[in-house]
Structures are given as structure tokens and as C-alpha cells.
Amino acid sequence: MTTQPFPVTEIVASRRPHRKDAARNYDALLTAAREAFAEHGAEASLEDIARRAGVGIGTLYRNFPTRRHLFESVYADEVNTLCRVAEEVADREPWDALTAWLARFAGYMVTKRAVREALNDESEIFAACRESMYAAGGPLFERAQQAGEARTDMDFTELLRMVSGITATTFDDDAQRDRVLSIALDGVRATR
């Protein structure tokens, strides 16, 4: 995939504490915030997030001085995970690599919707995340197209919009969402 770090990777690394105990608390807070945002949206309680993470509210504020800082950190961490997934699946067959990445992208959209309510699309963090996401997933799509496994009459932006549209609706559970995504991706697969 890429030998240069994604812009979002540098952002995530610069925000994460270096001490092991502080890094553990930071990671626990990100996990708890991601869950809380998925359940309650942007209005999730910071006290609830701290409680879920098993830390005090002071630890939350030491790591994330403002609610916006927490939103940005959760969002950047999610996109950074998408970038890592792209690298992890890059050696798979083209179609399998693309669909594995898109499945993770679908899960990421839940967090993005909650965070988007609180952040401006024009922010520096969104720009770095968008650039990183396209740099990670775009080559997987292009490789699937070049292998004759994905349609060539669409671009990566259209693919992401399709998946985003699917994830914007509510489903009974993740399995139902995954099934609908699989059906939609059948339409992306090149006919032979």
C-alpha cells in the first residue's frame, strides 16, 4: 500500500500520551466515547463516557480539554483504523480486500454520523481524515477495477456515497446491515 504515513496517523500519534498508564486511559476513553456516540449521538454524557472507561471525569478532561477535542480524537482514531485495515487487507485478492475494507467503513459511518453533528466539515481534522481515507481505500477499489472485479463506470467517491447511504438507515442489527451492504456490493461487482 503506502510507505508514507497517512496524515491522520500523525494526528493520532501526536495526541496519544506516551506513558503506558496514560495511554491506557486515553484508549479506554476513546472506546467508551465511540460506544456512547453510537448509542446517544453527539449529546452523549461526558460523565457517562468517563464511567464507561473506568476513569474519573478529571482524567477525561486532562486528555480531552473540550468536547470538540474528544469528537476530533474519536473521529481521527476511527479513520486511522480504516487506514490500518486497508494495509492489513492489501495482500488479499482484490475483491476480498475491497469488501473487507468497505465492511469496516460501514461500521465507521455510525461514529461519523454522531461526530459530524458536532464538527465542521471544513475543519483541519476532517481534511486530514478525508485525505487519509481516500489514500487508504481508493487504491483497493482501483485494484479491484483493474482486476476486472469491480465496475469501471463508477469512481471511489460514488462507492463511498453508496455505502454511506446504506449505513444512514436503521437496521434491526449489524447482520441485517451487512446483508444489505452485500446485496448492494453485488451491483458494484463487474459482470463477467
Side-chain angles (χ1 to χ4, degrees), residues 116-154:
R116 184 179 212 147
E117 296 171 20
L119 296 178
N120 179 343
D121 281 350
E122 311 269 324
S123 77
E124 182 180 318
I125 206 96
F126 265 163
C129 287
R130 179 180 168 84
E131 179 184 338
S132 298
M133 189 170 36
Y134 275 70
L140 297 174
F141 182 57
E142 291 168 10
R143 196 171 71 126
Q145 287 177 315
Q146 291 166 358
E149 294 184 12
R151 296 169 61 143
T152 56
D153 62 343
M154 67 185 302

Side-chain angles (χ1 to χ4, degrees), residues 144-192:
Q145 287 177 315
Q146 291 166 358
E149 294 184 12
R151 296 169 61 143
T152 56
D153 62 343
M154 67 185 302
D155 63 26
F156 188 62
T157 300
E158 292 168 331
L159 177 63
L160 293 185
R161 285 186 176 152
M162 181 190 77
V163 175
S164 297
I166 291 168
T167 62
T169 190
T170 57
F171 293 98
D172 294 337
D173 53 32
D174 289 346
Q176 185 184 41
R177 180 198 67 209
D178 294 345
R179 183 174 178 283
V180 170
L181 178 60
S182 176
I183 292 166
L185 289 177
D186 284 345
V188 174
R189 193 145 200 188
T191 56
R192 295 182 184 220

